[in-house]
Amino acid sequence: MVGQLTIQVLGELNVRQNGQLLPLPQSKKTRALLGYLAVIGRPQRRDHLCKMFWEIPDDPRASLRWSLHKLRPIVNTEGHECLHADHHSVFLTPQAVDLDFRGMASLRPADLHVLDTEALESLATTFRGEFLEGLCLPHCPSFEAWRLYHRDIALRLHMAILRALIRRLRDSPEQVHVHCLVLNRLTEEIADVDVPEQWSEPSISGTEPIPFSGAAPNQSHRLSRPGSGLVSRIFESDFPTPPLTSSKRSQEIRFCKTADRVTIAYAVCGHGSPIVRAAHWMSHLQYDWESPVWRHWIDALSEKTMLIRYDERGTGLSDWVAEDISFTAMIADLESVVDAAGLDRFTLLGVSQSCAVSVAYAVRHPERVSGLILYGGFVKGWRKRSDSHEVATHEAMTALIREGWGQNNPVFRHLFTAMFIPGGDQVQMHWFDELQRISVSPGNAGRLHEAFGEIDVSDVLSQVTVPTLVLHARKDAAVPFQCGREFATGIHGARFVDLDSANHVLLSNEPAFDQFVREVRRFVAETT
């Protein structure tokens, strides 16, 4: 096609017209927007793009208009209108763009076996660097998750192409050596990503061995349950510890075994009628105890009751090696802790994904649950909610988790922190950044995130017979507000409390937390 655009995203973003390199705007967000539209290849809602790249107090719609104004002279050239925008959507016509990533993404492993060596060499040279290199946007978590998801795809494909070439070029040691050097570098970059077994190859005769381990050597200690001594040393050297409010504050950590022989750690503190907090994502019994993010929750809930909380399998002080990390296993963990603690009847508190776990438990064991409290939860996981944009974002987040959670640099984990506690101060955000690294390995975090997407308790809501209190933060960015309302509408007689907060984890200095505590204490008094 005459005048067709060539857009390259496998490396730094490049745009060419008839082979001539075109200058791009200096704004990283504008360039990132162009790359995103080119790869997506279908109309995108304006409100979706505004949310992905801009935030309040900026004027997102004005910022989007400005970026589109900068992009039009680049992509709409020689009488061809490639970039279309109306009041509702924006679209970069894929037929008018020769995109390097498009052909790559359509490749399958079997294709590499039938392509000739020249074609494989051509494919290998297409990779000029990582996907959209240099366009990291730490303050745009949705875009960054999407970018890293595609970076993961591109890295894996590049490695597969290089391995295919190495097999073909066994009789050319010099060429093999060059490809092995590149492959070793890529392997180091993707060290925290689980490499599919079929991609692993034995070392080639006459070359240096190629490591294909799924974990970086210095991360090996994360494969087993960390001891509290190690955690304490890390805390003492790196983090400011807030002062204790009471010299009598203490907890007892215990362990129990599940039916499939997984060790679960649980903690007991306080006195009075028991309340069990079902395990939520990212918890660590010792770290949470000292954390300015969770400490006020623990103190408030244990002031007049006996609080039992536990780390789910794969996290915290529980076993990090667990074959089964499914919704069924999550319910079994709760059952094991309740039995080990010797509880006949108790209040059950679900937080985030453990709301669904708590509902399932209450349906199975109504005689043991005096009252059910559900905060910040969802009836259906992100995959079951069938929102295409949400599913795509969460799939991308899996790559983001694998990429960033194992690193000492918290920049990627901070994206999640900004979603969970956008109102946090510097100290709170610092602790939450580290909670992700300390509480779970990147691999387990990714597995759990996938498992949460498959949760669906919509069919059993009508079977809940115990008194139920549902609370949800109105502007929760991690779990949409309507997800909490779905519990309240599906459980007969449930009372719903709307909390004025944007934090998924309520912070100590906001009125919404005080309201949460008042509602919980009143509910416990009425049901025990």
Side-chain angles (χ1 to χ4, degrees):
M1 175 186 288
V2 177
Q4 185 173 32
L5 284 172
T6 297
I7 298 182
Q8 297 172 302
V9 295
L10 296 175
E12 289 187 359
L13 178 68
N14 279 343
V15 179
R16 298 177 185 271
Q17 185 81 41
N18 297 328
Q20 181 179 357
L21 189 64
L22 302 179
L24 296 177
Q26 290 186 348
S27 166
K28 288 181 66 174
K29 288 186 178 181
T30 301
R31 284 180 280 135
L33 172 64
L34 175 58
Y36 178 76
L37 291 172
V39 175
I40 289 293
R42 60 180 183 273
Q44 298 296 294
R45 298 193 310 267
R46 279 182 178 263
D47 59 347
H48 169 68
L49 295 175
C50 288
K51 185 176 180 180
M52 174 169 278
F53 290 101
W54 295 280
E55 58 185 15
I56 306 298
D58 297 333
D59 184 346
R61 299 190 72 84
S63 297
L64 175 59
R65 288 194 299 269
W66 183 88
S67 288
L68 293 176
H69 172 72
K70 292 293 184 180
L71 292 177
R72 284 189 181 95
I74 299 172
V75 298
N76 293 342
T77 56
E78 299 190 9
H80 297 278
E81 185 179 359
C82 302
L83 182 62
H84 305 270
D86 57 29
H87 291 298
H88 304 290
S89 63
V90 178
F91 180 43
L92 183 63
T93 309
Q95 292 80 7
V97 175
D98 180 13
L99 179 70
D100 57 355
F101 185 76
R102 188 178 298 133
M104 293 290 183
S106 63
L107 285 175
R108 296 293 180 266
D111 299 333
L112 303 182
H113 298 298
V114 299
L115 291 174
D116 59 35
T117 303
E118 185 177 353
L120 289 174
E121 291 276 12
S122 177
L123 287 174
T125 60
T126 304
F127 293 88
R128 300 170 298 106
E130 72 172 47
F131 181 83
L132 289 179
E133 187 170 307
L135 286 182
C136 173
L137 300 178
H139 299 296
C140 301
S142 294
F143 170 78
E144 192 60 15
W146 174 85
R147 185 187 70 85
L148 287 171
Y149 173 71
H150 287 79
R151 174 185 179 273
D152 182 11
I153 293 174
L155 275 172
R156 290 170 181 271
L157 182 56
H158 194 182
M159 293 168 71
I161 292 170
L162 291 173
R163 290 191 179 109
L165 273 172
I166 291 170
R167 286 194 296 268
R168 298 281 184 88
L169 300 172
R170 291 176 184 271
D171 297 330
S172 303
E174 290 185 3
Q175 290 179 285
V176 168
H177 183 68
V178 170
H179 293 311
C180 283
L181 289 177
V182 177
L183 185 54
N184 273 325
R185 177 178 58 80
L186 294 178
T187 303
E188 291 175 1
E189 291 182 15
I190 204 168
D192 281 331
V193 178
D194 297 326
V195 179
E197 183 178 347
Q198 65 268 26
W199 286 12
S200 299
E201 298 290 342
S203 59
I204 306 299
S205 176
T207 67
E208 292 295 320
I210 305 172
F212 293 113
S213 171
N218 63 347
Q219 305 298 324
S220 60
H221 68 274
R222 295 190 184 135
L223 297 178
S224 59
R225 177 169 51 83
S228 59
L230 169 65
V231 174
S232 296
R233 288 195 299 274
I234 293 173
F235 293 163
E236 289 169 4
S237 61
D238 294 343
F239 312 121
T241 304
L244 299 180
T245 57
S246 171
S247 59
K248 297 180 180 179
R249 191 174 185 269
S250 64
Q251 67 173 348
E252 181 180 349
I253 296 177
R254 307 170 185 172
F255 298 90
C256 65
K257 286 281 189 181
T258 62
D260 59 347
R261 309 304 297 167
V262 174
T263 298
I264 302 297
Y266 69 99
V268 181
C269 61
H271 302 279
S273 57
I275 179 170
V276 176
R277 189 213 65 188
H280 51 71
W281 198 23
M282 296 182 296
S283 71
H284 191 294
L285 296 178
Q286 185 61 39
Y287 184 75
D288 291 351
W289 181 252
E290 301 173 345
S291 167
V293 177
W294 285 113
R295 156 189 195 98
H296 55 285
W297 281 68
I298 298 171
D299 289 348
L301 292 172
S302 63
E303 183 176 343
K304 297 183 179 181
T305 60
M306 179 177 66
L307 174 64
I308 296 100
R309 60 193 220 285
Y310 63 96
D311 294 330
E312 66 186 332
R313 60 180 62 205
T315 72
L317 295 177
S318 294
D319 276 350
W320 281 30
V321 178
E323 181 177 347
D324 184 9
I325 301 184
S326 63
F327 183 61
T328 300
M330 296 174 200
I331 301 169
D333 289 350
L334 173 55
E335 291 174 328
S336 298
V337 170
V338 170
D339 290 342
L343 303 178
D344 294 324
R345 194 165 173 79
F346 59 93
T347 301
L348 180 56
L349 168 62
V351 177
S352 197
Q353 102 280 346
S354 72
C355 288
V357 175
S358 300
V359 164
Y361 182 94
V363 170
R364 292 187 185 185
H365 309 281
E367 75 286 352
R368 303 183 80 165
V369 180
S370 58
L372 181 63
I373 304 171
L374 307 174
Y375 168 74
F378 49 85
V379 174
K380 295 182 178 181
W382 54 266
R383 193 177 295 280
K384 296 292 185 178
R385 293 197 285 268
S386 301
D387 182 307
S388 59
H389 280 298
E390 187 178 15
V391 170
T393 298
H394 278 279
E395 286 179 342
M397 286 171 67
T398 302
L400 179 63
I401 289 167
R402 292 195 304 255
E403 170 68 26
W405 282 29
Q407 297 182 7
N408 288 329
N409 188 335
V411 62
F412 296 119
R413 299 192 302 275
H414 193 71
L415 301 178
F416 289 85
T417 298
M419 291 176 59
F420 278 75
I421 53 169
D425 60 27
Q426 185 176 1
V427 172
Q428 290 165 330
M429 287 196 165
H430 176 78
W431 277 74
F432 203 84
D433 286 345
E434 289 306 310
L435 169 62
Q436 296 164 60
R437 182 175 66 87
I438 294 297
S439 66
V440 62
S441 70
N444 281 352
R447 293 174 64 200
L448 286 167
H449 184 250
E450 288 288 342
F452 299 158
E454 301 296 335
I455 288 175
D456 187 352
V457 292
S458 55
D459 290 342
V460 301
L461 292 184
S462 61
Q463 301 175 37
V464 176
T465 58
V466 302
T468 303
L469 172 66
V470 182
L471 310 99
H472 209 102
R474 189 180 309 153
K475 294 167 282 189
D476 190 334
V479 179
F481 181 70
Q482 59 267 26
C483 293
R485 291 183 56 191
E486 197 173 350
F487 276 118
T489 56
I491 298 175
H492 179 71
R495 185 161 66 88
F496 183 72
V497 176
D498 170 5
L499 300 171
D500 185 13
S501 176
N503 296 309
H504 185 60
V505 181
L506 298 174
L507 301 175
S508 59
N509 59 347
E510 58 181 325
F513 179 70
D514 295 333
Q515 183 183 4
F516 170 83
V517 173
R518 287 195 302 271
E519 295 287 352
V520 166
R521 286 177 176 171
R522 184 174 75 169
F523 179 80
V524 171
E526 291 172 349
T527 56
T528 55

